[in-house]
Amino acid sequence: MSRSLLATLATVALLGSTMALTALPAHADEITCRGSIGARTIDGSINVPPGATCTLTGTYVKGNVFVRSGSTLTADRAYVEGSVQAQGHRSVVARNATSVKGDVQLENGRTATLTRSSVGGSLQSKANSGAQSTTFTQVKGDVQYFSNRAAVTISRNTIDGNLQCKSNNPAPTGTGNTVSGNKEDQCRRL
């Protein structure tokens, strides 16, 4: 073999070994929460598995929070960079300056309470069978309550988008909401 061919093969081998040693970007892990997580940073998302109870107190979550069937989430002074997504949940509570940068989506579950908190995206509550309450909360996007089958209370909130309520039984109640967009359907007088 010629020297130039040997040099080329050595360069290719060196590049190949360098590429093999290069670390791939780390992906944030999903943490399973059964119990409590205190004032610490979670680099990924949190999963509350079916039937579990999770309490976040002063917790900083860089991902999303997923609340599964029959599970309970209580967030107290927590910060979530992503969204809170609850499907078939038993209970979701966000209180005491809890901040969710993304959306809060509550569907086909039971109760939900947001009080003295903030949502950077939209708040959507659909087809829940337990009481729903949103009070003293700031929402940057829309607030939507559709087809819920228990009491819905919406009071003293600041909503930058629309307040939309439809097909809830009974109709939502509340007072003192500041809404930059439109108040529609069942919520037009709230």
Side-chain angles (χ1 to χ4, degrees):
M1 278 191 198
S2 70
R3 285 184 175 225
S4 63
L5 181 57
L6 285 174
T8 302
L9 289 174
T11 302
V12 169
L14 180 62
L15 285 174
S17 65
T18 302
M19 289 183 355
L21 294 175
T22 303
L24 296 174
H27 293 284
D29 291 326
E30 184 175 276
I31 303 294
T32 298
C33 180
R34 290 183 181 92
S36 298
I37 300 175
R40 66 179 252 219
T41 298
I42 305 298
D43 286 328
S45 294
I46 291 179
N47 178 44
V48 186
T53 296
C54 176
T55 301
L56 305 176
T57 305
T59 313
Y60 186 103
V61 182
K62 290 188 176 180
N64 299 309
V65 177
F66 301 103
V67 186
R68 308 297 182 190
S69 180
S71 61
T72 297
L73 171 70
T74 301
D76 194 344
R77 297 180 324 276
Y79 182 85
V80 179
E81 278 192 18
S83 295
V84 173
Q85 299 174 351
Q87 178 82 30
H89 58 281
R90 176 182 301 261
S91 174
V92 172
V93 175
R95 62 184 180 208
N96 298 331
T98 288
S99 178
V100 178
K101 195 169 182 181
D103 298 324
V104 174
Q105 299 171 323
L106 311 160
E107 190 169 346
N108 292 314
R110 292 190 186 166
T111 66
T113 302
L114 279 77
T115 186
R116 300 190 188 281
S117 295
S118 65
V119 178
S122 293
L123 167 60
Q124 301 164 334
S125 173
K126 182 179 176 186
N128 294 291
S129 62
Q132 308 290 299
S133 176
T134 302
T135 57
F136 298 100
T137 294
Q138 181 174 3
V139 181
K140 292 290 186 183
D142 295 331
V143 173
Q144 301 171 324
Y145 282 91
F146 298 143
S147 304
N148 292 292
R149 301 175 306 281
V152 174
T153 304
I154 306 166
S155 288
R156 307 207 182 284
N157 302 292
T158 302
I159 301 165
D160 291 349
N162 298 312
L163 175 56
Q164 303 165 316
C165 303
K166 194 173 190 177
S167 302
N168 297 287
N169 187 14
T173 60
T175 185
N177 296 292
T178 302
V179 180
S180 296
N182 297 316
K183 293 181 182 180
E184 299 175 10
D185 297 316
Q186 291 177 314
C187 286
R188 68 184 172 277
R189 292 190 176 97
L190 302 183

